[in-house]
């Protein structure tokens, strides 16, 4: 043990003072550090709460300052990503709103396809786009933007779009594994190829090429476009249902030809054209001979077959511009545009022949069925200048054919003695 002397006391005093000062400094630094940590903790909490504009400030040059700088860099990146996300979200909201409004406002299939392509391109900022429609086993270019696709066709299963159509699964490149592009498909750096569905089947493929900023399409882009094509599919299905409803409203459900309601509308339009341009047209009323007795003998199911087969034969023998409809029961009506009486009688005899000359064969009957028709013909303006007069004339001519022995054509003829117009058909008026 060292003896305590005056010199030693001085040394010990200095040591104690240094230790005390060190302790004070340590305490002060600890308090400063704790204060800095608390401040840093508050700033990090603000950052976590979305306050990306609040910078973290730490004085000194230690680890805490480096941590603050790293957190500031992270804050800047989060701020940029948040801004992009907000912009993307707002764009998607606008796109969905506009898309939904546009789809609800139209029953035009072509317009819906254009809206689907334009909205998809705008939403994910694609430079080019192509919407292809599936027709059987072929994909055909429908609507395109900023690329030449006229006449482009791909077999389903060929190339990228063909694979999407075949499988119903989208492809994102780069990112997904997929087939090599078909040489007929547009060249691209990045691609989204998404199927469009209607009634649970692929009706088309939406292809988006190359983002404006040069980056590849993301999974978020794929989800967005899938959402839009789902909406488009619903709209397309609604259009198809609307078209089907319209078709059923104007078509005869049994024979698949026009019904009398639609025929009346077309007749009025033809009459208006004839009045304005001075052109003829003719009306044929076609009635199956002895159909009630035939129906009673063979049954309604076979009777329906006769109606369907007769409609098929007549439809195959007339022009596309001619309007053929079921009048009701076993009666049919045929409007021959720009056809005078001579041409109408020739057509009527042709139709009478294709029904009578070839028996109707069906599994429902043990033997071929002999079916004949009686046809009345009336022409504008000889038979009248309004709908009731022309229909009455053709109807009377048809009944004259019945009275004259059936299986024949009778043409309406106008009286010249000032009386009412009436059919003058006899068996001699049959064109054969």
């Amino acid at each position: 043990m060292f003896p305590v002397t005056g010199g030693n006391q001085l040394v010990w005093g200095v040591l104690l003072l240094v230790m005390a000062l060190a302790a004070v400094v340590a305490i002060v630094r600890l308090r400063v550090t704790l204060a800095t940590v608390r401040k840093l903790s508050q700033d990090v909490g603000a950052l976590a709460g979305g306050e990306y504009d609040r910078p973290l400030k730490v004085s000194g040059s230690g680890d805490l300052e480096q941590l603050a700088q790293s957190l500031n860099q992270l804050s800047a990146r989060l701020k940029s990503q948040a801004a992009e996300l907000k912009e993307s979200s707002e764009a998607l909201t606008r796109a969905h709103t506009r898309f939904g409004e546009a789809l609800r406002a139209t029953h035009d299939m072509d317009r819906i396809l254009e809206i689907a392509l334009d909205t998809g391109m705008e939403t994910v900022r694609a430079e080019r786009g192509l919407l292809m429609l599936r027709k059987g086993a072929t994909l055909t270019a429908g609507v395109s933007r900023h690329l030449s696709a006229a006449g482009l066709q791909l077999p389903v299963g060929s190339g990228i779009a063909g694979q999407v159509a075949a499988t119903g699964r989208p492809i994102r490149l780069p990112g997904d594994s997929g087939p090599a592009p078909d040489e007929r498909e547009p060249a691209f750096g990045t691609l989204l190829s998404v199927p469009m569905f209607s009634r649970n089947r692929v009706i088309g493929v939406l292809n988006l090429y190359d983002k404006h900023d040069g980056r590849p399409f993301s999974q978020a882009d794929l989800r967005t476009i899938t959402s839009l094509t789902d909406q488009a599919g619903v709209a397309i299905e609604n259009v198809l249902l609307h078209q089907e409803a319209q078709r059923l409203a104007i078509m005869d459900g049994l024979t698949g030809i026009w019904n009398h309601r639609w025929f009346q509308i077309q007749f009025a339009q033809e009459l208006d054209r004839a009045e304005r341009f001075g052109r003829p047209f003719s009306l044929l009323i076609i009635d199956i001979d002895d159909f009630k007795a035939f129906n009673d003998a063979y049954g309604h199911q076979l009777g329906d077959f006769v109606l369907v087969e007769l409609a098929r034969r007549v439809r195959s023998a007339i022009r596309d511009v001619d309007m053929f409809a079921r009048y009701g029961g076993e009666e049919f009506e045929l409007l021959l545009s720009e056809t005078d009486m001579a041409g109408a009688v020739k057509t009527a005899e042709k139709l009478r022949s294709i029904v009578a000359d070839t028996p109707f064969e069906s599994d429902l009957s043990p033997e071929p069925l002999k079916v004949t028709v009686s046809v009345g013909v009336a022409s504008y303006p000889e038979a009248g200048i309004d709908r009731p007069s022309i229909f009455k004339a053709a109807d009377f001519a048809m009944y004259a054919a019945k009275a004259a022995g059936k299986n024949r054509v009778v043409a309406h003829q106008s009286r010249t003695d000032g009386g009412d117009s009436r059919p003058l058909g006899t068996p001699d008026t049959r064109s054969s």
Side-chain angles (χ1 to χ4, degrees), residues 198-399:
S198 176
R199 301 184 182 182
N200 297 319
R201 64 184 182 89
V202 177
I203 61 166
V205 178
L206 177 61
N207 303 285
L208 302 175
Y209 306 98
D210 304 324
K211 297 192 74 166
H212 286 302
D213 57 13
R215 294 187 299 177
F217 293 106
S218 65
Q219 284 289 352
D221 292 331
L222 177 57
R223 288 192 295 270
T224 297
I225 296 303
T226 300
S227 175
L228 291 179
T229 55
D230 285 346
Q231 278 198 68
V234 173
I236 290 170
E237 185 166 353
N238 288 338
V239 171
L240 293 175
L241 290 173
H242 179 75
Q243 292 175 345
E244 180 71 5
Q246 287 186 317
R247 187 189 70 81
L248 292 176
I250 61 178
M251 301 293 286
D252 177 61
L254 175 63
T255 61
I257 62 176
W258 305 113
N259 61 22
H260 182 58
R261 171 190 172 193
W262 183 244
F263 187 89
Q264 288 178 305
I265 295 174
Q266 298 302 306
F267 187 94
Q269 294 178 355
E270 184 66 30
L271 181 59
D272 180 65
R273 283 192 294 268
E275 291 174 343
R276 286 190 289 121
F277 301 111
R279 296 173 179 171
F281 70 88
S282 296
L283 172 66
L284 276 60
I285 300 295
I286 305 169
D287 187 89
I288 300 177
D289 295 327
D290 302 317
F291 184 74
K292 185 178 185 304
F294 169 85
N295 214 22
D296 291 342
Y298 292 95
H300 291 286
Q301 189 175 6
L302 194 59
D304 288 347
F305 161 76
V306 170
L307 293 171
V308 172
E309 175 62 13
L310 185 143
R312 186 195 66 79
R313 294 189 185 190
V314 172
R315 189 163 46 183
S316 67
I318 60 177
R319 304 170 300 177
D320 290 339
V321 297
D322 297 331
M323 171 63 61
F324 181 48
R326 187 178 178 188
Y327 200 166
E330 69 272 23
E331 280 191 309
F332 298 83
E333 51 199 349
L334 177 61
L335 179 62
L336 302 175
S337 179
E338 298 193 14
T339 304
D340 59 14
M341 176 62 76
V345 169
K346 184 178 179 179
T347 297
E349 177 55 32
K350 175 184 176 182
L351 299 180
R352 184 205 64 77
S353 178
I354 67 169
V355 173
D357 293 352
T358 304
F360 286 33
E361 296 186 0
S362 169
D363 294 338
L364 299 172
S365 173
E367 57 186 19
L369 306 174
K370 178 67 174 179
V371 181
T372 64
V373 293
S374 296
V375 186
V377 184
S379 297
Y380 171 91
E382 293 83 2
I385 57 173
D386 57 44
R387 179 192 170 281
S389 298
I390 299 170
F391 265 85
K392 183 177 180 180
D395 210 36
F396 281 2
M398 185 271 293
Y399 280 111

Side-chain angles (χ1 to χ4, degrees), residues 129-155:
L130 170 63
L131 199 157
M132 306 185 74
L133 299 177
R134 180 172 182 172
K135 298 179 179 179
T138 304
L139 277 179
T140 303
V143 184
S144 64
R145 294 290 185 265
H146 309 304
L147 57 84
S148 177
L152 174 61
Q153 291 186 336
L154 290 175

